[in-house]
Amino acid sequence: MNDIHNLIAEMTEWRRHLHANPEFGFEEKATSAFIAAKLREFGLDEVAEGVGGTGVVGTLRRGTGNRAVALRADMDALKITERGALDYKSRNDGVMHACGHDGHTTMLLGAAKQLAEEGGFNGTVRFVFQPAEEWGKGALSMMSDGLFEKFPFDEIYGIHNMPGIPIGHFETKAGAFMSAEDNFEITLQGVGGHAARPHWGNEVLVAACALVTNLQTIVARRIDPADIGVVSVTELITDGTRNALPGTARILGDARSFRSEISEHMEKQMRVIAQGTASAFNVEAQVHYTREFVPLLNDPALAEESMAVATELFGATNVRVASKPMTGSEDFARFLSRVPGCFVFMGNGMQSSPLHNPNYDFNDEGLIHGMRFHVGIARRRLP
Ligand SMILES: [Zn+2]
Ligand SMILES: [Zn+2]
C-alpha cells in the first residue's frame, strides 16, 4: 500500500511539472524528453524518441507471449491563457494544459512504472505518447513515420478525462463513440462597390447571409433524422468597409458526423447549396472541404473488455455504458482506423471546469484510477 502512496505522490509531482510547462502540438520537446527520461529510468526494453515529430514509444516485454497491446496518451497543450491561481500554473505564456493531456501523460507514465516493476503480463506493452492531438495531426504523423511497422501491436487503448463525470467513474460504448470533424471554407466572389449604389456592382454579403441560412437545411432536410450530423458556420468574413460593399466573402465552419457516408453526403450537399445560392445572386462560389478527424469507432468486443477491466477495478456502480456518442472529436480515432481497440472517458469530477476552459485543471485524484485502468488492460489482454 505504501508503494501505491509513493506512486501517487510521484505522479502528482510529474503532472504538476507538466502542467507548469505546457507545449503546443509538435513543439512538445521538453515534454517528450521528460517522458523518455522517465521511461528509461523505469527500465523499459526500448525507448524511441522523435516518432512522428515529438512522439515517444516505450516498449516493455515480459514472458514469451507474442501479442502486443498499445496504451496511448496525448502530450500537447492548447493556445489558451490560463486563469486561476494554481501554484503550478503555466509558465509558458498563452499556452495551457486545458484538456488534461498533462494528466493523460502522467497516468501512462505511472502505468509504465508499475508494469516495469511488477510485470504480471505475458507479451509486449507499447506505451505510445502522441504529439499534436488537438490539431488532429499527431496520430497520422506517427503512423506515416512507421508506428505500426516499427512498433507493431494488435490492440490499442486510450483514456480521456471528462468534466461532469465523478472521479473514479468510467464510461465508454461499443461502436461510434466520438464524431468526425470536417472543416469547410466557402469563398464567394462578386464585385464590390459603393454602399449607396449596390446595383452598379454585385456585392456578396446578402448572398453570404442567404448561404449561411441555406446551409442549415443540410442537417434539417438532407440527412436521415435517425442519423447524426452537425453543420456549424463559425465565421463570416468580408472585405467590405463602412461605406463600401464587399466583393469577397469567406464563410468558414465545422461539420460533425459519426459515419463517413454522412460526412460525404454533407460535403456533396454543401457544394450543391453553395453553387445554387451563388448563382441565384450571380456570384461565384468555391468550396474547400477538409476532413480533420475521423469518427472514433470502438471495437465492440474490446469495449466489453474495457468495461470488464474497469468493473473489476472500480466496481459495477462506477462503470457506465455511454448512452449516446458525443460530438467531440479525438485523434485517437486514427489509430482505431487501423487496429481494434477502445477509448474510454474517466471522470474529472463534478466541480471541474469544462475542457478547453481557461480555469480547467486535471484532477489529480484521477491519476491513480487511470494508471490502474492502463495496468488492468495490459494484464487482462496479455494473460
Ligand atoms: Zn482538447
Ligand atoms: Zn484532449
Side-chain angles (χ1 to χ4, degrees):
M1 208 55 210
N2 226 347
D3 280 358
I4 263 300
H5 285 293
N6 288 341
L7 183 56
I8 293 172
E10 251 182 317
M11 283 198 293
T12 306
E13 202 179 295
W14 303 339
R15 210 283 294 177
R16 294 181 179 192
H17 167 79
L18 293 170
H19 189 89
N21 298 283
E23 293 172 296
F24 191 60
F26 290 128
E27 292 167 12
E28 308 94 333
K29 292 207 165 60
T31 306
S32 57
F34 178 85
I35 291 165
K38 288 285 171 220
L39 295 177
R40 290 197 177 101
E41 187 189 309
F42 305 155
L44 263 66
D45 297 288
E46 270 171 52
V47 178
E49 291 178 77
V51 183
T54 41
V56 181
V57 181
T59 299
L60 185 63
R61 294 189 187 89
R62 291 286 185 273
T64 53
N66 55 13
R67 294 188 71 251
V69 164
L71 307 171
R72 170 276 202 179
D74 39 16
M75 322 185 277
D76 58 322
L78 287 142
K79 288 202 170 153
I80 293 176
T81 300
E82 184 163 9
R83 259 190 246 137
L86 300 171
D87 51 3
Y88 51 89
K89 187 175 170 171
S90 170
R91 290 183 208 134
N92 184 358
D93 237 9
V95 182
M96 170 191 180
H97 269 298
C99 204
H101 299 182
D102 48 349
H104 303 164
T105 292
T106 302
M107 300 187 299
L108 190 53
L109 281 175
K113 182 167 191 193
Q114 188 86 341
L115 287 166
E117 276 173 8
E118 295 180 359
F121 65 94
N122 179 26
T124 301
V125 181
R126 308 275 191 199
F127 301 90
V128 177
F129 295 86
Q130 84 147 81
E133 187 284 324
E134 299 285 357
W135 282 43
K137 299 274 183 276
L140 270 184
S141 161
M142 291 186 94
M143 286 157 71
S144 53
D145 197 13
L147 175 72
F148 293 118
E149 295 74 26
K150 291 184 215 161
F151 314 98
F153 49 84
D154 303 292
E155 302 168 7
I156 188 163
Y157 299 84
I159 307 175
H160 207 295
N161 77 94
M162 199 47 67
I165 299 179
I167 284 288
H169 283 233
F170 282 76
E171 248 184 61
T172 190
K173 73 181 276 299
F177 188 40
M178 297 182 75
S179 73
E181 179 187 341
D182 305 339
N183 287 166
F184 58 87
E185 177 170 351
I186 306 173
T187 306
L188 293 182
Q189 191 62 55
V191 181
H194 201 294
R197 290 182 284 270
H199 57 298
W200 282 12
N202 193 16
E203 66 91 14
V204 290
L205 187 54
V206 174
C209 292
L211 180 51
V212 170
T213 305
N214 290 346
L215 290 174
Q216 310 310 313
T217 64
I218 297 175
V219 173
R221 285 296 173 265
R222 289 287 169 257
I223 287 179
D224 183 337
D227 265 310
I228 302 173
V230 181
V231 175
S232 287
V233 173
T234 55
E235 289 168 84
L236 169 53
I237 304 156
T238 75
D239 62 351
T241 181
R242 187 184 65 86
N243 54 4
L245 292 162
T248 307
R250 288 162 58 227
I251 295 167
L252 289 90
D254 176 299
R256 307 280 168 135
S257 58
F258 294 94
R259 295 198 294 124
S260 53
E261 293 83 353
I262 299 295
S263 161
E264 280 156 27
H265 192 59
M266 290 195 300
E267 177 184 358
K268 202 175 124 211
Q269 289 304 318
M270 185 171 292
R271 291 185 185 281
V272 169
I273 291 171
Q275 294 313 331
T277 307
S279 89
F281 288 87
N282 199 23
V283 298
E284 299 286 323
Q286 250 192 353
V287 179
H288 184 62
Y289 197 97
T290 58
R291 293 191 168 77
E292 307 296 322
F293 289 85
V294 295
L296 191 147
L297 307 173
N298 282 330
D299 180 85
L302 299 183
E304 281 291 322
E305 285 287 278
S306 301
M307 307 277 259
V309 167
T311 304
E312 201 177 296
L313 290 170
F314 311 111
T317 50
N318 293 322
V319 182
R320 223 176 60 157
V321 180
S323 54
K324 52 181 196 255
M326 74 172 255
T327 54
S329 299
E330 166 59 57
D331 200 22
F332 186 76
R334 295 274 180 195
F335 299 126
L336 289 183
S337 68
R338 288 278 299 276
V339 289
C342 184
F343 195 63
V344 305
F345 291 156
M346 179 189 99
N348 201 49
M350 306 308 282
Q351 308 304 321
S352 171
S353 293
L355 298 172
H356 296 201
N357 177 287
N359 286 308
Y360 169 86
D361 188 31
F362 181 88
N363 190 330
D364 287 325
E365 284 176 50
L367 290 172
I368 181 71
H369 304 299
M371 184 281 283
R372 291 179 71 203
F373 179 80
H374 279 310
V375 170
I377 282 283
R379 289 180 175 158
R380 184 178 175 103
R381 298 301 302 159
L382 299 170

